[in-house]
Amino acid sequence: DGNYSYTFITDNSTIYSIQFDLSFYDKYLAEFPLLLSNGYAFSIFCKPATLDEKKSFDEGIRNTIFMIVWKQYRYCGDDAVLLFHCEPSDNRQRQRHILFGTWFRSVEFSHEYKKESLEVEVSGEVPQKHYIGYIAKKTNTKIDQLEEEFDKFSYFMIGAKSA
């Protein structure tokens, strides 16, 4: 069905779930065909063993997550696009965005991929910043058009979330 999920547990019993969902954005496919025809909602969920557990940098976690990303491209092809949106419910989306960017730049094969992201502020009673992005192989034949469609898609999605 185009959906994939990987789970791993760290030495300190933190559970990570990495998910790729091909159908998540189906209803927007007609409007954003380049981005979504082989576009996966890419999610990373983390459940610490205890609520008071402090998170620290763990190279093994970074390496495992990006090995899973690399394998996803091997299965889905160079035209796959991974779309991510940093979860804002606990107001730590900026930290997630920075950490993911740092991890991405530090992995050995990052030069083979293009990672783009935007910070979008949604106005309201309490303005909220959202971080949304994508990862695509640089060998994707439509890489240049993806960025333009991504910009439109990002503002459309964030606007839909705030409505």
Side-chain angles (χ1 to χ4, degrees):
D1 67 351
N3 298 329
Y4 305 92
S5 179
Y6 303 86
T7 302
F8 65 94
I9 301 173
T10 65
D11 291 340
N12 66 0
S13 300
T14 298
I15 301 169
Y16 281 85
S17 176
I18 314 302
Q19 298 177 358
F20 303 94
D21 185 344
L22 183 60
S23 61
F24 191 81
Y25 297 112
D26 275 357
K27 61 184 173 184
Y28 309 113
L29 182 59
E31 294 170 83
F32 306 101
L34 292 175
L35 198 59
L36 302 179
S37 62
N38 197 14
Y40 291 81
F42 168 50
S43 306
I44 302 171
F45 297 99
C46 171
K47 183 176 182 192
T50 62
L51 292 177
D52 60 343
E53 181 178 321
K54 286 191 93 173
K55 293 183 180 96
S56 59
F57 176 75
D58 184 332
E59 191 174 288
I61 294 170
R62 177 204 63 198
N63 292 346
T64 302
I65 290 171
F66 283 101
M67 189 54 61
I68 291 169
V69 167
W70 179 75
K71 285 185 177 188
Q72 180 71 7
Y73 276 99
R74 289 189 58 207
Y75 292 126
C76 299
D78 286 359
D79 65 334
V81 178
L82 305 182
L83 298 142
F84 61 89
H85 181 196
C86 297
E87 172 59 41
S89 64
D90 61 358
N91 290 319
R92 295 189 44 79
Q93 64 271 27
R94 183 174 186 276
Q95 290 85 346
R96 285 186 189 91
H97 179 258
I98 291 168
L99 178 61
F100 188 72
T102 301
W103 280 3
F104 179 81
R105 286 186 301 277
S106 68
V107 292
E108 181 180 320
F109 53 83
S110 65
H111 66 279
E112 298 174 23
Y113 298 86
K114 179 175 187 170
K115 179 187 154 292
E116 291 292 327
S117 59
L118 293 172
E119 176 187 285
V120 180
E121 185 164 333
V122 177
S123 57
E125 193 174 304
V126 178
Q128 188 173 44
K129 290 187 179 178
H130 289 262
Y131 298 86
I132 187 168
Y134 74 91
I135 300 172
K137 290 273 295 198
K138 287 182 178 177
T139 54
N140 184 318
T141 58
K142 298 177 179 133
I143 195 79
D144 295 329
Q145 295 93 346
L146 279 175
E147 187 167 354
E148 182 179 325
E149 193 167 281
F150 169 71
D151 287 345
K152 293 175 188 171
F153 174 77
S154 298
Y155 287 97
F156 175 81
M157 291 304 296
I158 297 300
K161 284 187 176 288
S162 65

